[in-house]
Amino acid sequence: MTLPKTMTAMVTMGHGDLDQMVLHKDWPRPDPAPGEVLIRVGACGLNNTDVNTRSGWYSKTVTDATTGGAFDEVGKDDPTWGGAPITFPRIQGADVCGEIVAVGEGVDPGRIGERVITDNWLRDPEDPTDINKTGYFGSERDGGFAEYTTTPARNALAVRSELSDAELATFSCSYSTAEGMLTRANVTSKDTVLVPGASGGVGGALVQLAKRRGARVIAMASEAKQADVAALGPDMILPRAPENLRAALGDEKISVVADVVGGPYWPTLIDILERGGRYTCSGAIAGPMVDLDLRTLYLRDLTFTGSTVIPPEVMPNLIRYIERDEIKPLLAASYPLKKLRDAQAAFIAKTHAGNIVVTP
């Protein structure tokens, strides 16, 4: 197979607004290093990580909600998910679905032609459970907002499914994030899980994956998006931010809150947790700064868990769920790569329920 020496790529040139993403039609195509594969990208999902890394929202100098725009000040030392500087220019995009078209030294050539999705966590092969030795695809190395990308062979997971590339590109980040949260919170069939922001990519995945575990699930979403959320099978749907959440819940006893929203409503979520309840978090779309009454935390015997680096077994498990049709893709819209700015603008505005992907 003859491969082109250059490719079309959307390249992020630095922290800032949408104009930091620049389309290049003659960007050098990468070659797979030893132990790596070259993937022809079929589709790549868009996630909060892409927006937040580009804008620099992860920096401690930023205290506002996720806006997707430029901030007045972005710290130079901690502007990414891992709390370290990012190298520009950078091709972002973590959720790749595509085909292996070449392999590096030490990789079985029989893998050429495999349809794969990416495991985005770049782990130390000698110590894969050490969360201090992890990077992220599309952050610490170039990702999938391009026609081709490379990744370690172990991070390209074969998938057998009749779903389209665009549908498969919705799974890697959103669903692994959700499954990681539920794993950290030890969710079982004995739990009732409250999911704020259930119309988003992670929120919709939380609904499905918590139901898969046998838990009772109560979703929160705006009225305009409740029909989409209902299709995921929650046991109850509430408005996005009821004035009296306790009254809206009735007799429901919430043992777990799985949250990616945060913001001013956060204390209300904590107040309705039952004694011994668990709060798990992997985002703060509505704002990272919240008020906590420590008496609520310790007098109610609550447990709080942050969830970012997922256990290594999560992605192989998700592949099995996909191949057994146990979870549904949440594809809201697809844009061509050259329209990535428009895709991010729509994602930031939350005009769609579910995930947005781009295709080369």
Side-chain angles (χ1 to χ4, degrees), residues 44-108:
C44 185
L46 172 62
N47 294 285
N48 279 309
T49 297
D50 303 308
V51 175
N52 293 337
T53 297
R54 187 254 305 153
S55 69
W57 179 85
Y58 289 118
S59 173
K60 294 287 191 182
T61 62
V62 177
T63 59
D64 298 332
T66 297
T67 67
F71 295 103
D72 292 336
E73 181 183 0
V74 173
K76 296 180 180 179
D77 298 327
D78 64 342
T80 64
W81 72 270
I86 186 174
T87 301
F88 294 108
R90 173 66 68 214
I91 299 173
Q92 294 184 272
D95 290 13
V96 168
C97 175
E99 179 188 354
I100 295 176
V101 292
V103 297
E105 181 182 348
V107 181
D108 181 3

Side-chain angles (χ1 to χ4, degrees), residues 216-220 229 233-238 248-252:
R216 182 170 176 80
V217 177
I218 300 174
M220 301 174 71
V229 174
D235 297 281
M236 178 187 293
I237 302 178
L238 297 179
L249 286 168
D251 295 332
E252 299 287 349

